[in-house]
Amino acid sequence: MPELPEVETIARKLTVEVQGRTITDVDVLWQRTVDRPSVPAFKDALTNTSVDRVWRRGKFLVMNLNTAQSLLVHLRMSGSFSIQPAGSGQPLWTGRHAGTNDRVHKHARLRLELDNEDWLVYVDPRKFGRFYLVDDPQELVGALGPEPMGPAFTVQTLHANLASRRGEIKRLLLNQHFIAGLGNIYVSEALWQAGIHPRRSAGSLSEGEAHRLHHAIRDVLAQGIRNGGTSLEDRQYVYPDGGTGNHQNHLNVYDRAGETCPRCGYMLERIVQGQRSTYLCPVCQPDPDVS
């Protein structure tokens, strides 16, 4: 699932492609891609609106429209955007939309035609992603935790918020109501950088450990953004122009079980927490249950 660096990268690229453009047509190819409002109302309200701003909140893409409404997109596990230039014959487009001669990707779920005749196409093989057209983005993102790259996320607030928590630190960091935008890749990387075992009780972290964790979270996210996000072998995260991120070449522990730790040289391990894989170094991140 795309995490903060991937969604931020997509938002920046879509800013170039769609900000200031008018949506001239809306083509919903799989009805459940639209969460709200109804598909007919969605198409009617979105057609002939212009995109004033593209930005990110947590893992949501947000497009502010000139109608004062906002289009929010959650990519979930396999969603991505692709630009189909006007008159394009790209080999990517492998099917045909029923009743037309348009060439459409077999996993396309929704298309927005822009006033330059390009199509912004939403592709989602697993069909989990959703579009929301709302009057106020806060109805979807208002309950999210602080942005980890923002001013509200400080060492002091992190330590204070950890103090009353008894659950495992890794699971807490994945909770979007606690902190927005983090996922499995960057949490594993941050905990390794901070030297904290993923199973540690969140409330057991000292102020010094909270300081290390705060720095590590910001650092791994900044690196991920600089490297254009992480594109794994499944290629489910790609840019709108078809390009891929480079951060997979800079990961220290994620998906590297059996390889050597970049810091101490010991063999990296994989454990399972809440049905998710976690990667760690048992030397750099001592297990709290092992005396």
Side-chain angles (χ1 to χ4, degrees):
M1 180 185 294
E3 303 178 28
L4 187 155
E6 290 75 45
V7 181
E8 178 67 27
T9 300
I10 292 171
R12 293 180 183 186
K13 290 184 176 294
L14 288 182
T15 294
V16 176
E17 299 288 352
V18 306
Q19 188 164 295
R21 305 232 70 96
T22 296
I23 298 169
T24 58
D25 194 14
V26 179
D27 190 7
V28 179
L29 305 173
W30 194 67
Q31 302 288 297
R32 289 174 60 187
T33 297
V34 177
D35 182 277
R36 67 190 74 166
S38 67
V39 169
F42 178 88
K43 294 173 68 173
D44 183 64
L46 202 52
T47 302
N48 295 321
T49 63
S50 60
V51 180
D52 289 344
R53 181 190 174 203
V54 183
W55 53 290
R56 176 199 58 75
R57 174 71 170 103
K59 298 179 184 179
F60 283 88
L61 282 166
V62 186
M63 301 183 195
N64 295 139
L65 307 173
N66 67 332
T67 57
Q69 288 190 303
S70 294
L71 177 63
L72 280 72
V73 183
H74 202 301
L75 302 171
R76 301 290 172 86
M77 295 186 72
S78 63
S80 65
F81 281 100
S82 181
I83 294 290
Q84 183 183 16
S88 171
Q90 297 176 21
L92 175 67
W93 306 91
T94 55
R96 292 190 181 276
H97 185 24
T100 76
N101 290 321
D102 291 345
R103 302 178 71 195
V104 182
H105 190 287
K106 64 181 178 179
H107 295 306
R109 308 303 175 197
L110 188 147
R111 306 191 302 169
L112 303 177
E113 187 177 28
L114 307 177
D115 55 4
N116 60 356
E117 298 186 347
D118 286 352
W119 284 93
L120 176 64
V121 183
Y122 177 68
V123 177
D124 190 356
R126 301 190 68 173
K127 298 182 177 179
F128 292 145
R130 293 292 183 267
F131 281 61
Y132 311 81
L133 185 61
V134 297
D135 293 330
D136 184 356
Q138 291 303 305
E139 71 177 77
L140 288 171
V141 302
L144 294 178
E147 285 289 325
M149 306 297 283
F153 182 64
T154 66
V155 174
Q156 292 74 24
T157 57
L158 175 61
H159 185 236
N161 291 337
L162 290 173
S164 61
R165 304 285 186 141
R166 295 183 179 180
E168 296 175 340
I169 182 62
K170 190 215 171 181
R171 294 199 193 195
L172 181 60
L173 294 177
L174 292 175
N175 184 337
Q176 299 302 296
H177 299 292
F178 183 78
I179 182 172
L182 290 176
N184 212 28
I185 295 174
Y186 296 95
V187 168
S188 289
E189 291 290 306
L191 289 172
W192 173 82
Q193 184 169 315
I196 297 169
H197 195 282
R199 288 194 176 125
R200 278 279 300 276
S201 167
S204 73
L205 269 63
S206 67
E207 185 173 0
E209 288 172 319
H211 188 279
R212 293 206 312 267
L213 180 59
H214 180 271
H215 173 78
I217 289 171
R218 290 197 179 216
D219 189 51
V220 299
L221 292 175
Q223 289 180 44
I225 293 170
R226 284 197 301 271
N227 292 324
T230 302
S231 293
L232 301 176
E233 291 182 358
D234 58 16
R235 285 183 59 88
Q236 291 187 347
Y237 164 63
V238 294
Y239 301 159
D241 62 5
T244 58
N246 183 50
H247 194 59
Q248 64 275 9
N249 299 316
H250 301 273
L251 297 173
N252 290 298
V253 293
Y254 185 81
D255 203 24
R256 293 191 57 216
E259 300 179 36
T260 56
C261 173
R263 185 159 50 205
C264 75
Y266 200 82
M267 185 178 292
L268 299 172
E269 296 181 354
R270 171 186 173 271
I271 61 174
V272 177
Q273 294 176 275
Q275 299 182 329
R276 295 186 182 185
S277 294
T278 299
Y279 300 90
L280 61 108
C281 173
V283 173
C284 296
Q285 299 165 266
D287 189 335
D289 295 327
V290 177
S291 58

